[in-house]
Amino acid sequence: MSTIIVTGGAGFIGGNFVHYHLREHPEDRVVCIDKLTYAGNLSTLAPVMDNPNFRFVKLDICDREGVFALFEEEKPDAVINFAAESHVDRSIENPEIFLKTNIIGTATMMDACRAFGNIRYHQVSTDEVYGDLPLDRPDLFFTETTPIHTSSPYSSSKAGADLLVMAYHRTYDLPVTISRCSNNYGPYHFPEKLIPLMIANCLNDKPLPVYGEGKNVRDWLYVEDHCKAIDLIVRKGTIGEVYNVGGHNEMANIDIVKLIIKELGKDESLITYVTDRKGHDLRYAIDPTKIHNELGWLPETKFADGIKKTIKWYLDNRSWWEEIISGEYQNYYDKMYGNR
Ligand code: NAD
Ligand code: TDX
C-alpha cells in the first residue's frame, strides 16, 4: 500500500483526482491537504470522507511546520501538488497571494519531500506557462520545448513554480515530474470559471458576460482525462520530464457559450459582451504527442459528451453551486462584473 499526499483536493481538479484515485487504486491511502480558501469546498469530498483509506487535513501548503509534521506522521510515498490560486482574473486584481501559494507553497512541499527521503513529487502545472498562440496560425501548438512566456500574474507564478521544480531536480536530485494541461471542465468546477459560470447564469436567466468579442480560443479537456494522465505520469513517467496534456479540442469562447445556451434551451439574447480581460491570452493549443507516445495516454471523453455530462451534473447538484454563489462569491461577482 502506498500513501499519496494530494494537495488542493477540496478544489476542482484535486477533488476529481481524489475520487478517481480512491476508485482506481483502492489499495492506496490518500491524504488530502487543503487550506480551504474560497475555492475549496469540503462538500466536494463528502462522498469519500468516510472511506478508511482517506484522510483530510486542513493545512496551508506554505505552513512549513505543519507540512513537515504531517510528513513525519504519514511518511508519504508520493506527493501530487494541485493546490494553487487558480483564477487569472483574481491574479490581475491581487497578485501577491498567487506568488505565496503557487511559488512558496511549491517550494515548501518540495523541501518536505527532500527532508523525508527524497519523496516522489509531481507538480500540476498549466499550458498557460507557454503564453498564447496567434488566432490565425492553427498550425502552431505548444510542445514541451516551447519557451516559457507568461502573460498574467497567475501564469507567471505557475511558471516560477515550474522553474523551481526543475531546479530541485537538478540541484537535489528530487524525483519530479511536471504536467502542463489545457483547460479542464467537468463536475465540481468553481462557478467563477467560464463553463460553470455560464451554466449557472443561464439557469438563473442572468446575463452571460463574454470578454471582448468572445473569439479567444481554449483547448478543453474533460477533468477525468486529466486525472488519468496525472496518475500515469506519477506511476510511469520519466523522472525530470515535463508532459503536456490536452485533447485537441479547441473552441472559441463564444461557441462554448452558445452551446450551453442551446443545451439549456435558453435564448442568445442573454449574451452580454463586456470589457476584455487585461493581457487576455488569444489561443491555447496543446500538442500531446509525448504523453501519447511514451505513456499511451489518450483522452476518452469527447467534448460533445463531456459537456452534456457536465451540464447534467450542474442540474443534478444545484445545492453544491447554489451554496457557493449565494455567499461571499456574490461580492466578488459584483466587483468583477458590476461595472464591466
Ligand atoms: P481550484 O481553484 O478549483 O482549487 C484549488 C484548491 O487549492 C482549493 O481547494 C483551495 O482551497 C486549495 N488551496 C489554495 N491555496 C492553498 C494553500 N495555500 N494551501 C493548501 N491548499 C490551498 O483549482 P483547480 O482548477 O482545481 O486547479 C488545480 C491545479 O491545476 C492548479 O495548480 C492549477 O494551476 C492547475 N490547472 C488547472 C486547470 C484548469 O482548467 N482548472 C488547467 C491546468 C492546470
Ligand atoms: O466571465 C467570463 N467570461 C469570459 O469570456 C470568464 C470567467 C471567462 N471568460 C473567458 C476568458 C478566457 O478566454 O473564457 C476563457 C476561459 O476563462 P477561465 O475559465 O477564467 O479560464 P482561463 O483563463 O483560460 O484559465 C483556466 O485554464 C488554465 C484555468 O482557470 C487555469 O487555472 C488553468 O491554468
Side-chain angles (χ1 to χ4, degrees):
M1 184 203 235
S2 299
T3 296
I4 318 285
I5 288 189
V6 170
T7 72
F12 166 45
I13 308 176
N16 276 282
F17 185 84
V18 167
H19 293 293
Y20 177 88
H21 198 103
L22 289 169
R23 196 175 66 236
E24 296 296 318
H25 304 291
E27 69 284 5
D28 284 352
R29 175 172 161 77
V30 175
V31 178
C32 168
I33 301 181
D34 199 294
K35 184 184 173 183
L36 296 180
T37 67
Y38 78 93
N41 289 287
L42 272 187
S43 54
T44 298
L45 294 172
V48 295
M49 276 300 185
D50 292 334
N51 185 323
N53 287 344
F54 179 69
R55 178 182 176 197
F56 177 80
V57 182
K58 183 175 186 302
L59 186 63
D60 185 336
I61 58 165
C62 303
D63 174 356
R64 184 167 286 264
E65 224 172 273
V67 167
F68 276 57
L70 187 75
F71 273 60
E72 176 73 52
E73 191 188 343
E74 288 289 349
K75 309 265 181 313
D77 299 288
V79 173
I80 307 179
N81 186 27
F82 292 89
E85 288 293 334
S86 69
H87 193 33
V88 173
D89 292 326
R90 289 187 192 252
S91 83
I92 294 167
E93 292 299 303
N94 178 19
E96 194 178 347
I97 185 67
F98 285 74
L99 308 186
K100 189 150 188 265
T101 287
N102 299 0
I103 301 177
I104 305 290
T106 297
T108 308
M109 294 308 296
M110 290 195 297
D111 282 341
C113 286
R114 286 175 55 213
F116 289 87
N118 246 17
I119 293 164
R120 177 78 173 84
Y121 179 88
H122 180 75
Q123 176 74 359
V124 181
S125 184
T126 169
D127 60 356
E128 293 198 21
V129 300
Y130 299 123
D132 62 354
L133 296 163
L135 289 174
D136 60 355
R137 289 291 308 273
D139 55 313
L140 297 180
F141 295 92
F142 297 137
T143 71
E144 289 78 0
T145 55
T146 301
I148 301 280
H149 183 80
T150 57
S151 312
S152 70
Y154 162 70
S155 55
S156 306
S157 69
K158 292 295 287 185
D162 282 13
L163 294 175
L164 264 183
V165 173
M166 296 317 279
Y168 271 56
H169 175 58
R170 175 150 176 176
T171 307
Y172 307 117
D173 213 16
L174 191 69
V176 305
T177 42
I178 297 178
S179 51
R180 293 183 180 145
C181 190
S182 58
N183 285 57
N184 285 212
Y185 69 101
Y188 303 110
H189 203 180
F190 195 85
E192 68 189 348
K193 307 284 168 54
L194 179 77
I195 289 182
L197 185 146
M198 295 300 165
I199 296 174
N201 282 16
C202 245
L203 288 171
N204 288 330
D205 293 308
K206 282 180 64 176
L208 307 177
V210 173
Y211 297 168
E213 295 176 40
K215 290 184 178 155
N216 302 59
V217 169
R218 297 293 182 263
D219 185 358
W220 294 95
L221 184 73
Y222 193 62
V223 62
E224 203 167 288
D225 281 322
H226 185 191
C227 295
K228 196 174 158 208
I230 291 170
D231 188 33
L232 263 177
I233 296 166
V234 170
R235 279 160 205 273
K236 299 189 180 145
T238 304
I239 297 301
E241 290 291 314
V242 173
Y243 292 90
N244 283 356
V245 184
H248 282 302
N249 183 64
E250 289 177 51
M251 289 182 74
N253 295 336
I254 189 65
D255 295 332
I256 299 260
V257 174
K258 286 184 177 169
L259 186 69
I260 292 169
I261 292 173
K262 192 161 166 243
E263 287 290 330
L264 289 172
K266 301 286 179 174
D267 197 275
E268 287 190 7
S269 59
L270 284 176
I271 294 173
T272 311
Y273 291 95
V274 299
T275 310
D276 209 354
R277 173 184 279 173
K278 288 190 183 107
H280 199 174
D281 279 336
L282 294 171
R283 170 176 168 249
Y284 303 146
I286 281 278
D287 176 354
T289 306
K290 179 174 173 179
I291 189 168
H292 175 60
N293 288 349
E294 283 189 22
L295 305 179
W297 178 87
L298 273 179
E300 286 170 11
T301 301
K302 291 196 172 62
F303 188 79
D305 302 327
I307 194 72
K308 282 197 172 77
K309 270 205 274 189
T310 303
I311 290 173
K312 183 171 180 331
W313 189 88
Y314 280 84
L315 283 166
D316 293 346
N317 292 274
R318 280 190 93 116
S319 59
W320 182 88
W321 56 271
E322 275 178 347
E323 199 173 314
I324 292 169
I325 63 175
S326 66
E328 180 203 328
Y329 176 73
Q330 197 56 53
N331 298 331
Y332 163 83
Y333 196 89
D334 293 344
K335 185 170 168 230
M336 294 306 260
Y337 295 95
N339 286 318
R340 197 159 184 154

